[in-house]
Amino acid sequence: MVHVALFHSVLGLRPADLLAAERLRRAGHEVVTPDLFGGETAATLDQGSRLLGRVGWAAVARRARQTLGGMPDETVLAGVSMGAGVVGEVWPERPAAAGVLLLHATADLPASARPGLRVQLHAAEPDDFAPPERVAALRRAARERGVDLEVFRYPGAGHCYTDPGLPDHDPAAAELTWRRVLDFLAPRPTP
């Protein structure tokens, strides 16, 4: 069993996040889905950006840290779109994290990322939140620090392709993403 903190997108904590968490729980994992917006949600990315502006990044980061305060140091950090930015915010403070999952957006690799840490990035191609230059920078930083980075791009999918409640939804890409995430979370045999 793996502990996972799944941080939602700028749309707020929505059914798609809860469904994703339930899928991971059915695989035997402990998953928390903190509500970083205090119950508010948005229907579009523009509305979500305004919502984030009202709530404020400081409050979002504080809520994320409060959630992680009660979780094991080895908790896997997972973020969906804006949630990847939340992961980037808290990652430097969680050097013992068992892994990092970035869905629909990139995050900067912190200096505290240890060699051998497993990281996955899943993003549409193209995607403004995971542009080629940011992905290339993440790959370079991972190589330099010995981080085990896997990058999966999904050509033709929309930005939030794993969310069945949005027009971007791509069922085939979403299913492949969640299969890869479950493989990532599966126990590794010890050598």
Side-chain angles (χ1 to χ4, degrees), residues 31-96:
V31 184
V32 297
T33 53
D35 186 346
L36 305 174
F37 286 169
E40 293 190 68
T41 60
T44 67
L45 294 179
D46 286 342
Q47 291 172 1
S49 293
R50 288 192 296 276
L51 176 56
L52 175 59
R54 280 197 319 275
V55 172
W57 187 255
V60 166
R62 185 182 69 252
R63 289 171 178 159
R65 287 184 174 98
Q66 286 170 341
T67 297
L68 290 171
M71 300 190 73
D73 292 343
E74 303 79 22
T75 297
V76 170
L77 306 174
V80 178
S81 193
M82 177 204 78
V86 174
V87 167
E89 177 82 20
V90 300
W91 188 356
E93 303 153 19
R94 306 289 293 192

Side-chain angles (χ1 to χ4, degrees), residues 4-21 24 31-34 36-37 45 48 52 57 60 76-88 100-107 120-124 127 129-130 158-164 166 168 174 177-178 181:
V4 180
L6 178 61
F7 300 111
H8 62 72
S9 76
V10 76
L11 299 177
L13 184 60
R14 300 174 61 253
D17 305 299
L18 302 175
L19 287 170
L24 301 181
V31 184
V32 297
T33 53
L36 305 174
F37 286 169
L45 294 179
L52 175 59
W57 187 255
V60 166
V76 170
L77 306 174
V80 178
S81 193
M82 177 204 78
V86 174
V87 167
V100 173
L101 289 164
L102 304 171
L103 300 158
H104 310 301
T106 61
Q120 275 190 352
L121 167 64
H122 298 269
D127 191 327
F129 296 94
H159 171 61
C160 285
Y161 66 86
T162 61
D163 189 328
L166 294 176
D168 283 350
T177 296
W178 292 118
V181 165

Side-chain angles (χ1 to χ4, degrees), residues 125-186:
E125 188 168 25
D127 191 327
D128 291 342
F129 296 94
E133 60 276 6
R134 293 271 327 251
V135 174
L138 181 61
R139 285 183 195 270
R140 275 192 308 278
R143 238 184 348 267
E144 290 167 5
R145 294 190 183 105
V147 168
D148 181 9
L149 172 67
E150 292 180 288
V151 174
F152 298 104
R153 300 306 298 254
Y154 301 86
H159 171 61
C160 285
Y161 66 86
T162 61
D163 189 328
L166 294 176
D168 283 350
H169 183 58
D170 183 317
E175 181 60 29
L176 182 54
T177 296
W178 292 118
R179 278 201 320 262
R180 288 170 167 164
V181 165
L182 288 171
D183 286 347
F184 178 86
L185 296 174

